[in-house]
């Protein structure tokens, strides 16, 4: 279930393997902003535990300059990518329990490396069955954001490990007509539910016709204040919308997670671009997380691409990574295996980059608030200049 | 004046040189969205002329699917990157004339390959002397957008070669107090001045403290309707502002040029990200153009980075490229030499990608018009959710 169609484990592995040392430095500088990434030394215990459960483990550090009036604000971010554990045809409770077990194990590994905030992929409690467009059994996975079984489980882990947990689930809102939402829950390191965010932008693309199940989110662009920084969540397809990223930044986010489920043919060439561009444009850290493996469904389905019906969805290409406000980034996790990426960052870098580049100072928000408002009117006439126009006034 | 500090000619050259064929296909697919770029066959005459004037020449093709109800709209885009020709200490008229000669030659080369629209780098008529923060002699290069010598020269070339020309200059507006602007002029293929756009976002970063010379532009986000598609210009630092890219898209742009002047230490790792991300986010083509070479100034200057005063500015790293709405991109021109990149595109790809990804349909512009408006108020309270908040209403 976790095999890729293609042969390379990750882009970085391939570059390292073939390009001579001196040129590799240049390639990395141009591609990633650093001649060599800074590895993070992880405890032996962490390495052993990861090995025991067949988990790829990578650690990197993204430092900031020291300041005179502020202490460093060092935070360890854990990004988890994984394949589903059991076949999509198994009883739902067994499928979910197997994922609960797997993720609990991985979070434990993270805890031994003192990870402060951990985030899983989109809808981590289930296969990404929306490709089938069948309502059942997938809707059964939906649960209450605050009191459902997933949040209940994670509250215990969060408290036990003193860890903020960012958990993407399928939400069922029984107070509003049993509606379903694509939602991320944030749980504090004291084991309390802090709040939730609902996916703002919903795709209607090929296998991702998710509007069949849930609507555009109505929770705005919240930033969650935690002991380890101000965090926000841009769920999956929202990463294609720069203005979505921007609003989280305007609300003060220092780390924005992008829990995703996306596959190779569709978006692999965009994966390294979008979350990283957002980190730069908004002077915050981004954490892009994608599941791995191919999921096989009981009933065949079509993908709106003219090809015959089939039962497989994927492969999802993993490649989870962290990007920094200065445009540096970590290498990605593998394209094919479960993995935990631990990145130690100094949140002070966000404000340092703001001061350096000045994007917030120069962004002219008034212009865009007004322009977007005008564009949004039905009668909007685009600002088009034609040859021989005599009046080019705005 | 055109030497780079570093050894590799371009990222793509290095990848091609070392990575075996099969893996290279995968690397290119992940990095650029295609296993192999499609070269464009160029006339022998074009190749010879380019060789004669020591000009790197590259040609690529980015096709679209054929449609039943629309014919293909094939356009050849020329992107020119170059070093200044004479030392910055030579008489200004000689410096400018040498650039006029060089660019006229390159445009002639482009004409033999039937290029329809050509664009030069930012402030192509002069060295990028703003690093000195000295007003003279640099302000002397400023000229009238419509009637100045540069536009006058290019109107002739545009008409002779049936080519739209996009020309970035330093503008002097004598009708408004002799103010100076960083401006791009668009000239039609009939040799007529169509209009101008002034740089919307002005940097205050290191050697790029350009607000010393000109203010944020007051020309909105115009799109110029030409015989070869609807085009717009996002000048240099504006590429860091996603909302600037977005407004050109909302006004209907199909190709957005990004004439730039930027150097390695500052931005080379961002160069491949930003214009390409904009192409994807806005479903249009982007053309990122950067000068090459190191410019040496008569008086030493400091770069606000704690390092000693010096006389050199650069190297500018070239690497001009074209990105498509589907995220594919051409390889870049070299990091060190004058070059002409010819890219044949089918503009139909823009609407095809809009239909496929649906970013415009799902962008929720009303939400952002309102949100940006609120953020812009002095008393704005960011949407922050804290542990134990009881009221999470918007």
């Amino acid at each position: 279930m976790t095999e890729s169609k293609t042969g390379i484990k990750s882009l970085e592995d391939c570059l390292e393997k073939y390009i001579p040392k001196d040129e590799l430095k240049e390639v990395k500088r141009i591609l990633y902003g650093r001649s060599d990434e800074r590895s993070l030394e992880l405890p032996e215990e962490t390495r052993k535990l990861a090995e025991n459960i067949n988990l790829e483990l990578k650690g990197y550090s993204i430092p900031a300059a020291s300041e005179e009036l502020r202490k460093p604000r060092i935070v360890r971010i854990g990004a988890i990518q994984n394949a589903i554990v059991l076949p999509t045809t198994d009883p739902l409770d067994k499928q979910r329990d197997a994922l609960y077990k797997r993720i609990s194990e991985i979070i434990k590994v993270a805890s031994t490396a003192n990870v402060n905030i951990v985030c899983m992929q989109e809808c981590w409690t289930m296969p990404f069955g929306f490709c089938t467009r069948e309502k059942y059994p997938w809707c059964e996975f939906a649960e209450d954001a605050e009191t459902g079984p997933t949040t209940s489980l994670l509250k215990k882990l969060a408290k036990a490990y003193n860890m903020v947990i960012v958990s993407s689930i399928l939400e069922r809102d029984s107070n509003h007509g049993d509606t379903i939402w694509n939602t991320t829950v944030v749980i504090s390191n004291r084991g309390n539910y802090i709040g939730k965010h609902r996916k703002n932008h919903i795709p209607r693309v090929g296998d991702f016709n998710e509007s069949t199940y849930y609507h555009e989110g109505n929770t705005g662009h919240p930033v969650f204040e935690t002991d380890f920084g101000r965090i926000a969540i841009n769920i999956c397809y929202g990463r294609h919308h720069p203005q979505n990223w921007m609003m989280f930044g305007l609300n003060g986010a220092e780390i924005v997670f992008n829990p995703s489920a996306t596959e190779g043919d569709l978006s692999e060439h965009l994966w390294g671009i979008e979350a990283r561009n957002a980190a730069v444009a908004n002077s915050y850290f981004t954490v892009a997380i994608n599941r791995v493996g191919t999921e096989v469904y009981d009933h065949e389905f079509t993908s709106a691409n003219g090809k015959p019906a089939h039962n497989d969805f994927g492969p999802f290409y993993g490649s989870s990574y962290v990007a920094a406000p200065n445009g540096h980034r970590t290498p990605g996790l593998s394209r094919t295996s479960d993995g935990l990426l631990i990145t130690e960052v100094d949140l002070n870098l966000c404000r340092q980059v703001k001061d350096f580049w000045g994007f917030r100072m120069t962004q002219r928000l008034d212009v865009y608030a007004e322009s977007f408002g005008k564009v949004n009117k039905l009668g909007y006439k685009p600002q088009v200049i034609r040859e021989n126009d005599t009046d080019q006034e705005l």
Side-chain angles (χ1 to χ4, degrees), chain A residues 314-339:
Chain A
F316 300 95
Y317 54 79
S319 308
S320 305
Y321 69 96
V322 171
N326 58 7
H328 296 182
R329 58 157 282 186
T330 70
L333 288 176
S334 97
R335 301 174 60 243
T336 53
S337 325
D338 288 13

Side-chain angles (χ1 to χ4, degrees), chain A residues 118-374:
Chain A
V118 76
C119 179
M120 285 79 79
Q121 66 209 17
E122 186 182 19
C123 293
W124 71 269
T125 65
M126 57 183 289
F128 212 74
F130 312 124
C131 54
T132 64
R133 300 185 306 286
E134 296 166 349
K135 294 295 173 91
Y136 282 86
W138 319 118
C139 288
E140 278 208 65
F141 279 104
E143 55 181 303
D144 189 88
E146 189 162 356
T147 62
T150 303
T151 299
S152 300
L153 168 73
L154 295 178
K155 283 165 80 170
K156 287 178 207 148
L157 298 180
K159 190 174 179 183
Y161 299 136
N162 188 36
M163 200 185 290
V164 169
I165 301 183
V166 181
S167 164
S168 274
I169 60 168
L170 197 62
E171 180 195 1
R172 169 83 70 185
D173 185 350
S174 57
N175 289 332
H176 292 87
D178 287 327
T179 43
I180 286 177
W181 301 90
N182 184 316
T183 297
T184 301
V185 172
V186 179
I187 299 161
S188 84
N189 52 315
R190 281 168 290 276
N192 297 321
Y193 170 90
I194 305 183
K196 69 184 174 194
H197 174 59
R198 289 169 171 168
K199 187 171 180 172
N200 269 331
H201 299 271
I202 310 296
R204 285 89 165 157
V205 186
D207 279 329
F208 298 87
N209 262 272
E210 300 165 31
S211 67
T212 305
Y213 300 89
Y214 37 79
H215 205 70
E216 279 76 9
N218 59 355
T219 52
H221 294 83
V223 167
F224 300 91
E225 192 165 294
T226 77
D227 284 8
F228 309 114
R230 295 189 303 274
I231 69 173
I233 308 100
N234 181 342
I235 306 174
C236 198
Y237 180 79
R239 76 179 174 283
H240 305 298
H241 287 284
Q243 70 279 20
N244 195 37
W245 290 107
M246 193 168 164
M247 267 310 299
F248 295 116
L250 293 172
N251 280 327
E254 295 169 303
I255 308 170
V256 180
F257 294 92
N258 175 230
S260 298
T262 181
E263 57 170 355
D265 292 343
L266 188 69
S267 66
E268 192 167 1
H269 62 298
L270 310 179
W271 182 249
I273 300 290
E274 293 169 318
R276 189 164 165 225
N277 190 76
V280 173
N282 299 289
S283 307
Y284 53 49
F285 291 91
T286 58
V287 184
I289 303 173
N290 182 27
R291 61 176 63 202
V292 293
T294 297
E295 299 174 358
V296 181
Y297 291 91
D298 197 22
H299 306 143
E300 64 178 11
F301 61 95
T302 54
S303 298
N305 57 4
K307 294 183 183 162
H310 54 100
N311 297 74
D312 60 307
F313 187 22
F316 300 95
Y317 54 79
S319 308
S320 305
Y321 69 96
V322 171
N326 58 7
H328 296 182
R329 58 157 282 186
T330 70
L333 288 176
S334 97
R335 301 174 60 243
T336 53
S337 325
D338 288 13
L340 169 63
L341 170 67
I342 300 177
T343 311
E344 183 176 279
V345 307
D346 183 344
L347 296 179
N348 281 357
L349 188 59
C350 299
R351 207 174 74 181
Q352 289 172 12
V353 171
K354 282 179 191 163
D355 289 344
F356 180 76
W357 275 110
F359 295 149
R360 296 288 288 273
M361 178 175 76
T362 59
Q363 75 186 169
R364 308 184 70 184
L365 208 55
D366 54 335
V367 169
Y368 296 95
E370 189 187 334
S371 298
F372 288 3
K374 284 183 185 169

Side-chain angles (χ1 to χ4, degrees), chain A residues 34 39 55 71 132 302 331 391:
Chain A
R34 291 188 62 90
S39 285
L55 181 74
K71 287 181 186 157
T132 64
T302 54
D391 180 9

Side-chain angles (χ1 to χ4, degrees), chain A residues 45-65:
Chain A
E45 182 194 3
T46 310
R47 299 215 164 272
K48 275 191 186 153
L49 281 174
E51 207 180 307
N52 288 347
I53 62 169
N54 198 21
L55 181 74
E56 182 188 24
L57 179 69
K58 285 192 171 182
Y60 301 100
S61 162
I62 301 178

Side-chain angles (χ1 to χ4, degrees), chain A residues 3-17:
Chain A
E3 272 170 53
S4 166
K5 281 176 198 159
T6 56
I8 75 173
K9 189 184 162 202
S10 74
L11 176 63
E12 292 80 10
D13 272 16
C14 192
L15 300 179
E16 300 264 359
K17 188 168 162 191

